Amino acid sequence: MIDIATLNQRIEIQQLTSDKDDRGNPEQVWTTIYKRWASANVTGTAFYDARQELVKAQVEFVTRYNKQLAMIDTTKYRIIWKGDIYHILFVDNYKGLNEQLNITAVCYDQNDSLR
């Protein structure tokens, strides 16, 4: 059973959708589809590439189970937390009990390089 007292972080889950700009041209935009309470367990890994230090920030968000969220396509959804963008790597229906979802995500900067 999930302890709801630990769900103290507000996250937004966004979906990549197709829309049209003012001239009628197709464009893809991120649309917030859920705002949920979650807990966040942050881990980080530092590594070096071509004499440049890159830091990978990975977070496991835990939230209440939601059937639609459990089946999302990770390439078309992302999480906004504390103003940063987290790309979803994996969604796990914890122990298959339909009580909580563990969402593993990684943070990139605006240039899509690891931070």
Side-chain angles (χ1 to χ4, degrees):
M1 185 95 186
I2 191 169
D3 179 7
I4 61 170
T6 64
L7 306 180
N8 58 3
Q9 300 295 314
R10 194 69 166 163
I11 63 172
E12 290 182 33
I13 298 168
Q14 296 184 332
Q15 179 181 18
L16 188 59
T17 57
S18 296
D19 201 359
K20 294 189 178 188
D21 64 14
D22 0 347
R23 296 183 180 165
N25 298 317
E27 68 178 353
Q28 293 189 318
V29 296
W30 289 100
T31 306
T32 299
I33 58 167
Y34 295 109
K35 290 185 179 181
R36 303 191 56 91
W37 289 102
S39 65
N41 180 24
V42 181
T43 60
T45 311
F47 60 93
Y48 298 90
D49 183 24
R51 293 187 233 175
Q52 179 181 5
E53 181 179 8
L54 301 173
V55 177
K56 180 178 181 180
Q58 186 168 312
V59 178
E60 182 179 66
F61 296 100
V62 177
T63 188
R64 288 181 175 177
Y65 178 82
N66 175 292
K67 186 177 181 179
Q68 287 77 26
L69 273 180
M71 299 184 296
I72 65 172
D73 175 355
T74 59
T75 63
K76 295 180 181 174
Y77 291 80
R78 69 182 187 181
I79 292 175
I80 304 296
W81 179 53
K82 294 185 175 183
D84 290 324
I85 298 169
Y86 290 82
H87 297 272
I88 298 172
L89 302 176
F90 185 72
V91 178
D92 177 41
N93 177 6
Y94 184 70
K95 295 186 179 181
L97 298 174
N98 297 348
E99 292 178 358
Q100 79 181 46
L101 292 176
N102 295 357
I103 304 171
T104 304
V106 66
C107 185
Y108 294 88
D109 67 16
Q110 292 178 351
N111 298 323
D112 266 352
S113 60
L114 293 172
R115 41 158 158 174

